[in-house]
Amino acid sequence: MKITKNAVATLEYTLTDDAGELIDTSEGDTPLIYIHGTDSLIPRLETELDGKAVGDELKVHLKPEDAYGERDDEMLQTMPRTDLPEDVELEVGMQFQAESDDGIHIVSVAAIVGDDVVIDANHPLAGVALNFDVKVIEVREATSEELEHGHVHGDAEGCQHD
Ligand code: ZN
């Protein structure tokens, strides 16, 4: 069968940036399994996968605006070092979770300037063009239970989560 709305597709993938640097891969790890048409993946990637079948391989190039968006300088925030936990040794590039009004975000340390720290709340892949190398491994219908839950269940009977 083909990948259509409410199909469960299993994918092997490798994700690189435009410089050819590896960002993520399913190689040596579990493949990606998702329910098509439920906005589980980047929308443009789901569009490209529509109608594909087992064995199909595709390369998808996504500009930043079609992936995680452009970088936004307004998401840089300077705060005094004393506002951050004392026992953490800060380094430029380190990432941590920060809680804000609309949930938990991954933020990173963009710079340390004297007694101030510049925190970057942009998505780590904002401003990055993405190149997906995808191979379709399996396609099946979602079960009614999976559709009800909005996620894929494992091979064993029943729901495998709390
Ligand atoms: Zn479930």
Side-chain angles (χ1 to χ4, degrees):
M1 67 177 276
K2 288 183 170 161
I3 299 179
T4 50
K5 185 162 172 60
N6 295 339
V8 173
T10 305
L11 311 173
E12 282 179 356
Y13 68 95
T14 296
L15 175 60
T16 52
D17 65 17
D18 274 357
E21 292 284 335
L22 183 69
I23 296 170
D24 193 14
T25 179
S26 64
E27 211 181 302
D29 206 340
T30 47
L32 175 70
I33 305 180
Y34 79 105
I35 305 177
H36 193 70
T38 57
D39 288 332
S40 305
L41 306 183
I42 298 169
R44 270 292 303 278
L45 185 58
E46 280 205 18
T47 305
E48 296 290 331
L49 283 160
D50 207 73
K52 296 291 186 289
V54 170
D56 282 352
E57 294 182 45
L58 59 155
K59 289 180 192 292
V60 180
H61 178 261
L62 298 181
K63 288 181 279 187
E65 66 255 41
D66 293 327
Y68 290 98
E70 298 288 358
R71 289 184 53 80
D72 180 358
D73 284 345
E74 286 186 12
M75 302 203 35
L76 292 170
Q77 193 193 341
T78 302
M79 57 175 66
R81 172 69 181 87
T82 48
D83 278 7
L84 293 159
E86 255 177 70
D87 54 343
V88 177
E89 202 165 323
L90 295 177
E91 267 178 66
V92 171
M94 75 184 284
Q95 296 183 345
F96 56 95
Q97 292 189 334
E99 207 172 342
S100 72
D101 297 340
D102 55 342
I104 289 172
H105 299 268
I106 303 290
V107 300
S108 63
V109 176
I112 300 168
V113 185
D115 293 332
D116 289 332
V117 180
V118 182
I119 299 296
D120 185 355
N122 283 289
H123 188 283
L125 292 176
V128 179
L130 302 178
N131 297 287
F132 283 94
D133 256 298
V134 180
K135 187 175 183 189
V136 183
I137 301 302
E138 193 192 334
V139 185
R140 63 168 171 85
E141 298 279 358
T143 64
S144 51
E145 194 184 46
E146 285 174 327
L147 291 176
E148 211 174 286
H149 289 202
H151 57 236
V152 176
H153 290 160
D155 292 331
E157 289 292 311
C159 213
Q160 293 178 55
H161 55 81
D162 299 329

